[in-house]
Amino acid sequence: MRIRGKGYTMGRVTFVLEHQHNVLLVVVSVMVFISSCLVGFGGIDNALREPSQRRLCVALSAVATGFGIWASYFVGMLVYDPGVDLLFDVPTTILSACVPVGLAALGWTLALDRRPLMSLVGGSVIGVGAAGMPYLGTWALRMPAHIAWHHDLVAASIALSIGLAALAVWYHRRKVNAGLVAWEGGTLLTLAICSGDFLVRAAAEIQVPPAAPLAAAWTIDPPTLTILLVVVALVIMGAGIKLITVQDGTNRGELTQAKDRAVWADEILRGAEERERLTAELRRQVEITEAAIEHMPQGLSMYDADHRLVICNRRYGELHGIPMEMLKPGVHLADLYAYMVAEGKLTAVPEMSAQAAAFEPEWANQHDVKLPNGRIIEFSRCILPSGGWVATHEDVTDARKASEQIGYLAAHDTLTGLPNRVTFASNLEAVAKSGKPFALHTIDLDRFKEVNDTLGHPIGDHILKGAAKRLQRLVGASDIVTRLGGDEFAILQHQVDAQVSPDTLATSIVGSLSEPFQFEGHTVSIGASVGICRAPEHGSEGDDIMKKSDLALYRAKEESRGTYRFFEPGMDSRLSERRQLEADLKEAISAGQFEVHYQPLLDTTRNTIGSFEALVRWRHPTRGLLAPGEFIATAEESGLIIPIGEWVMRQACQDAASWPNDIKVAVNLSPAQFKRGDLIAMAMSALTAAGLPPRRLELEITESVLLHDEAWVQSTLEKLSALGISIAMDDFGTGYSSLSYLRSFPFNKIKIDRSFVADLINTSDALSIVQATIQLSKKLGMQITAEGVENAEQLDLLVAEGCTQVQGYHISRPIPAQEIVSLLTRYGENMGDCVTAAAA
């Protein structure tokens, strides 16, 4: 601290220790510093240990800390000699003591907060009191001089006091939490107070003006201040003693009583907490139970031994149509029963009776309740030891309907509604074991596969349903009609006598299913074949009877279709032969065992060969050369006709490419080749590979092809015709709608069936049909061909009637491709020689 007069400097203020009282004051100052900090931290530690004494401990810590800060400054002022007389203003001195005490109280209160950051805040507040105390004390000085401040040192003293105080409190709190003592924090706080005080004195410069007067009003001299400091020291020591008293207790008896009271209070508190916990848990369990009961998908009801309602959920009332306002605990079951009967919501339900008989052992604890509205309620009851019961009520209407539907679907065909194969097999086995006579009819729809593939499954489904209805109209009341699958049906004929014999029923089946089916603008004719097995004549086991009936059906389909056959011994071997034939066909396709033979067609207007019809032959490795009639039916049924037909077309185009350019080749098409949908691409591929012009290819189709989707077939034929390929109708006159077909489809040729030519000489009707057909072809601008010409008389008659083309053995038998050139060379252009040679 410098003292500077007006216009001159007096030198530094000296620290005087010559007098004994100054030494004593320094010792007191050190004791005051240390004790005030230790008492302050000790009070805070005690407040943390004894929350009930927190206010008292905070007050004592605030007094000790605040007075320590206050006393430290004034003790320092007493041991300094500024070179002038000093007095202290009483009001300002008292105010300077109150400020650090108040700030210490606020700081310690904040420091007690559990949040770690608050210890820094509380220590900073105490540091504000320590930093501001020297300036308040300087304000209380009265001397004939002025003080000039060095602001850099002022700022340093404030920052150092606040920083060290905040660090002291924070460090102490952290150490206390770790279980350590309070002296480390007290030392830091002592440094905060002393360092700030010393820096303040270095920052002050005393300037003594000439003849400065000394103010003496309301002041106190240094000796009196010394006495006041001793009092403050005693106060701080008293605060420490009080803290020790608070910490240790007034006496052991009070401590024991307090401990007993604490234990008793703790037990009461734990008991109350346990009861509260149990009550809360019970309340939670009740809420969970009520929520579970209320949200059950089933109805729930509980009645006591007196038939009074104990509890129920909303679903119970909804199922039985009872308003919730009636379902109050204590309502009698008889009242609910009377209400439901009166409202028409119940007829007679045993569990709704209030009679004790309802609890007899023979009364079912689980059964169905059928309500007047058609709903089915499944009632399931459990008898309680108290005599009451608890029951669940579930609406199983939809589940029962679904179960019945599943059971029905498992036993019936979904399309026709007839019993299915599984149900029928069970019935057949039961009837077979009874030993009673019966007949089993196995029925297969002819040409159904072609119709289904070409017209589409919806049309096929209509045919199946229509066939099922026709069969049901033919059988007796005790007979069973079933659909075995696909287009196969069966009839179990129980009534077998002279009036309704098996062959009579079979004739009715064939006749009924041969009648055309009409729907959605389509007229479709199919037919049926029937196989019959009689029991017990032909067997007594269900599976054996079914197998033999199938064998009879195969015989009917092989012979002519549209008929029926009874089982006969030896049919097993023929079935094996058919299966072997199918296996051989597959081998023949891969081994290339097929050949194409060609039968010439004579142009009667020019007496020349106009075309050849390609006819497939099978050179079997063991059976020799087989004609189409021996394997084509099997090939069509097995689907093998498709690869065979494609090979024939390719081979025929390749062979025809070597013939004269004016000779055509005719190829027969199967209905199965149309259903594939790639006929046009297949024909063009065969023509392109052979280099044959489309005009030299002629495709022959029968009316069975036209039974398919007429619009689709017509579109295909028109596209083929547009490419230059000729279209011929084969076997004309044997179908149902030939005339309408001639008008609708782009035919270039009509081929009269061989059956009419065979009867041409001996039957006038055949001649009339041939004459009408020839005239019709001329009117339509079509070429006419007569098939099956076997002799010269038939040939002459046909030529006389104007037939322009004939075909048959009288002209030539089908010959291999390598003989065609020699045939054309042999007869040249004059086919009269051919006719004469053939006749010879």
Side-chain angles (χ1 to χ4, degrees), residues 1 73 138-139 141 143 145-149 200 203-207:
M1 182 179 293
Y73 172 78
T138 304
W139 183 31
L141 289 177
M143 60 182 176
H146 300 284
I147 299 177
W149 298 98
V200 167
E205 183 176 335
I206 300 176
Q207 298 177 353

Side-chain angles (χ1 to χ4, degrees), residues 386-636:
S386 61
W389 79 92
V390 61
T392 59
H393 310 256
E394 184 175 4
D395 189 340
V396 295
T397 308
D398 296 336
R400 295 296 165 81
K401 288 182 179 179
S403 178
E404 292 175 0
Q405 181 67 15
I406 292 173
Y408 176 83
L409 294 176
H412 292 78
D413 175 56
T414 57
L415 179 63
T416 62
L418 298 175
N420 58 19
R421 179 184 287 273
V422 176
T423 305
F424 184 75
S426 177
N427 292 329
L428 177 61
E429 189 66 29
V431 175
K433 290 182 178 180
S434 68
K436 297 179 180 179
F438 68 92
L440 175 61
H441 300 255
T442 305
I443 307 159
D444 187 80
L445 302 182
D446 298 334
R447 298 186 298 277
F448 173 78
K449 191 174 187 301
E450 301 171 5
V451 174
N452 191 55
D453 291 342
T454 54
L455 296 184
H457 293 290
I459 299 299
D461 290 345
H462 279 296
I463 293 177
L464 292 175
K465 289 188 286 187
K469 292 179 180 178
R470 293 184 184 184
L471 293 176
Q472 286 178 306
R473 290 196 294 263
L474 296 177
V475 300
S478 60
D479 298 339
I480 300 175
V481 182
T482 188
R483 181 189 174 202
L484 298 177
D487 61 341
E488 190 174 0
F489 294 83
I491 295 178
L492 185 60
Q493 184 183 5
H494 287 86
Q495 185 179 357
V496 181
D497 50 31
Q499 294 181 349
V500 189
S501 61
D503 51 352
T504 300
L505 178 59
T507 302
S508 300
I509 292 171
V510 172
S512 177
L513 296 180
S514 296
E515 296 178 2
F517 291 85
Q518 295 181 352
F519 31 73
E520 296 183 1
H522 296 279
T523 300
V524 181
S525 297
I526 49 172
S529 300
V530 182
I532 308 171
C533 181
R534 290 175 294 200
E537 178 182 349
H538 294 146
S540 58
E541 298 290 336
D543 292 341
D544 185 49
I545 295 172
M546 176 67 78
K547 177 182 177 182
K548 292 176 178 178
S549 180
D550 286 339
L551 292 174
L553 174 62
Y554 287 134
R555 170 61 64 86
K557 294 179 71 67
E558 285 180 353
E559 290 186 355
S560 62
R561 298 190 179 186
T563 187
Y564 65 89
R565 289 291 182 268
F566 283 93
F567 170 77
E568 297 175 359
M571 285 186 174
D572 285 349
S573 61
R574 285 191 288 273
L575 178 60
S576 299
E577 292 176 1
R578 180 184 179 279
R579 292 174 177 171
Q580 184 61 46
L581 181 63
E582 184 176 335
D584 291 347
L585 275 174
K586 294 179 181 178
E587 178 65 24
I589 293 173
S590 60
Q593 297 174 0
F594 294 103
E595 300 177 3
V596 180
H597 287 201
Y598 298 93
Q599 187 174 29
L601 280 73
L602 175 66
D603 187 345
T604 60
T605 61
R606 297 184 302 165
N607 290 328
T608 58
I609 295 177
S611 63
F612 287 90
E613 181 179 359
L615 301 171
V616 67
R617 298 292 187 266
W618 179 11
R619 193 167 294 280
H620 196 279
T622 59
R623 298 172 59 184
L625 190 65
L626 301 180
E630 298 182 67
F631 64 87
I632 287 297
T634 302
E636 289 182 345

Side-chain angles (χ1 to χ4, degrees), residues 553-741:
L553 174 62
Y554 287 134
R555 170 61 64 86
K557 294 179 71 67
E558 285 180 353
E559 290 186 355
S560 62
R561 298 190 179 186
T563 187
Y564 65 89
R565 289 291 182 268
F566 283 93
F567 170 77
E568 297 175 359
M571 285 186 174
D572 285 349
S573 61
R574 285 191 288 273
L575 178 60
S576 299
E577 292 176 1
R578 180 184 179 279
R579 292 174 177 171
Q580 184 61 46
L581 181 63
E582 184 176 335
D584 291 347
L585 275 174
K586 294 179 181 178
E587 178 65 24
I589 293 173
S590 60
Q593 297 174 0
F594 294 103
E595 300 177 3
V596 180
H597 287 201
Y598 298 93
Q599 187 174 29
L601 280 73
L602 175 66
D603 187 345
T604 60
T605 61
R606 297 184 302 165
N607 290 328
T608 58
I609 295 177
S611 63
F612 287 90
E613 181 179 359
L615 301 171
V616 67
R617 298 292 187 266
W618 179 11
R619 193 167 294 280
H620 196 279
T622 59
R623 298 172 59 184
L625 190 65
L626 301 180
E630 298 182 67
F631 64 87
I632 287 297
T634 302
E636 289 182 345
E637 291 176 2
S638 62
L640 297 175
I641 191 63
I642 294 176
I644 295 174
E646 183 175 357
W647 179 85
V648 169
M649 181 178 291
R650 290 184 178 276
Q651 187 63 42
C653 291
Q654 184 177 352
D655 292 341
S658 62
W659 304 342
N661 292 332
D662 59 342
I663 297 179
K664 294 183 177 182
V665 63
V667 179
N668 292 280
L669 294 180
S670 168
Q673 292 176 279
F674 266 85
K675 74 180 181 180
R676 281 269 297 255
D678 61 347
L679 179 59
I680 297 175
M682 183 183 69
M684 291 306 299
S685 176
L687 290 170
T688 302
L692 189 71
R695 61 179 176 80
R696 294 185 58 192
L697 176 62
E698 185 174 87
L699 300 179
E700 296 185 4
I701 63 174
T702 61
E703 292 183 6
S704 60
V705 173
L706 306 179
L707 290 173
H708 309 312
D709 188 347
E710 295 182 6
W712 179 78
V713 173
Q714 181 178 2
S715 174
T716 302
L717 294 179
E718 287 177 350
K719 292 177 181 178
L720 290 170
S721 179
L723 294 172
I725 299 173
S726 299
I727 309 298
M729 174 177 277
D730 198 9
D731 301 333
F732 180 78
T734 59
Y736 295 99
S737 307
S738 298
L739 295 180
S740 65
Y741 291 153

Side-chain angles (χ1 to χ4, degrees), residues 284-334:
R284 190 178 69 87
Q285 293 295 335
V286 170
E287 291 176 354
I288 293 174
T289 303
E290 290 178 349
I293 292 174
E294 190 62 27
H295 291 85
M296 284 177 59
Q298 302 86 9
L300 178 72
S301 63
M302 180 185 292
Y303 288 86
D304 60 17
D306 296 328
H307 316 301
R308 295 187 178 278
L309 181 65
V310 177
I311 190 175
C312 70
N313 61 3
R314 184 178 298 276
R315 183 61 176 160
Y316 171 67
E318 293 174 352
L319 290 176
H320 294 286
I322 307 174
M324 288 303 297
E325 52 268 20
M326 291 187 63
L327 296 175
K328 302 297 182 183
V331 64
H332 203 280
L333 184 58

